[in-house]
Amino acid sequence: MQDQSNSLLVDGSAYELNSSRADTLRSEICSTAKLSFLMEAHDGLSAAIVERAGFKGIWASGLSIACSLGYRDANEASWSQFVDVVERIVDSSQLPVLVDGDGGFGNFNNARLLARKLRVRGVAGVALEDSCFPKLNSFVGSRHPLADVDEFCGRLRAVKDTVANELVLVARIEALIAGHGMNEAIARAHAYREAGADAILIHSRSSSADEILSFADAWQNRLPVIIVPTKYYRTPTCEYRRAEISTVIWANHSMRAAVAAMRRVCGRIFAEEHVANIEPDIASLEDIFELFSYDELAEAETRYLYPNKLQH
Ligand code: SPV
Ligand code: MG
């Protein structure tokens, strides 16, 4: 959890922190040197929990943020609603945040505006997918029209020209999701590299990792490869190390865990009309206060609110 006295919005050092988080994302996470992990967050609370768990970076998931806002992952939330949530994620930990920017909410112009706003809010990187607006979650239905390659390259170039290296730019390929096959996926990876991407996210809806492992084999790490093993969750992590994958994203597991836990607790309270039995199964208030550094607030009050009061 970020030191509240060092808030990005208070001390005006957003750009400095932003570029150091982008550097960390680039050099330590999206790098071919070792396998790294990004854990999903969808609000300030889940971001603080991700950091406490020991993760070194956060995936600000479009699906999970949409869910927590009560929207579908179909660009129903506006880009500005989305950016506001991302700010809470960034501000609630010290970790670099890679943002799921969907397709950039439109054409090159919307994509570069989104990137500029994300940079101001302190994110470290943005992943843009080659889908058409409005997108639909990759695992819903079978209609996933791909963006024209040249048009999508224009989106990538516009983002790169706008934020340069202050944001890590991840190009996400939906060709396998859309059923276009490996040749199309590889051709797109080459085009996106030419257009300035810093890393490639190859997405798959297969229940086995074979597709993404074949991609990695053909791609030969011309840029670092990022994967999202939501559907092929049974594959052991050592397979990804063997394939020299750069980054694994656990894309929605905090949100799904929260749904299961909230549903369980709500159901029990409704049925029992009593809360005593669930008390051992939920976080204590002390836990919540500790997570958000209430002690820092008390300490700051002695300095700023009552500076002249004698300390006993
Ligand atoms: C997300 O987390 O919103 C993603 C990953 O884009 S997925 O839902 O697996 O497409
Ligand atoms: Mg998404």
Side-chain angles (χ1 to χ4, degrees), residues 59 61-63 73 100 129 137-139 172 203 228 230 251-252:
W59 168 249
S61 157
L63 169 64
D73 187 17
D100 175 5
E129 65 192 43
N137 183 273
S138 306
F139 302 135
R172 165 167 161 179
H203 206 15
V228 186
T230 298
N252 46 44

Side-chain angles (χ1 to χ4, degrees), residues 269-292:
I269 294 176
F270 181 78
E272 295 169 18
E273 295 185 342
H274 202 236
V275 291
N277 294 336
I278 51 109
E279 194 66 24
D281 299 333
I282 59 178
S284 68
L285 286 176
E286 290 69 30
D287 189 357
I288 304 299
F289 298 150
E290 197 269 330
L291 199 52
F292 287 98

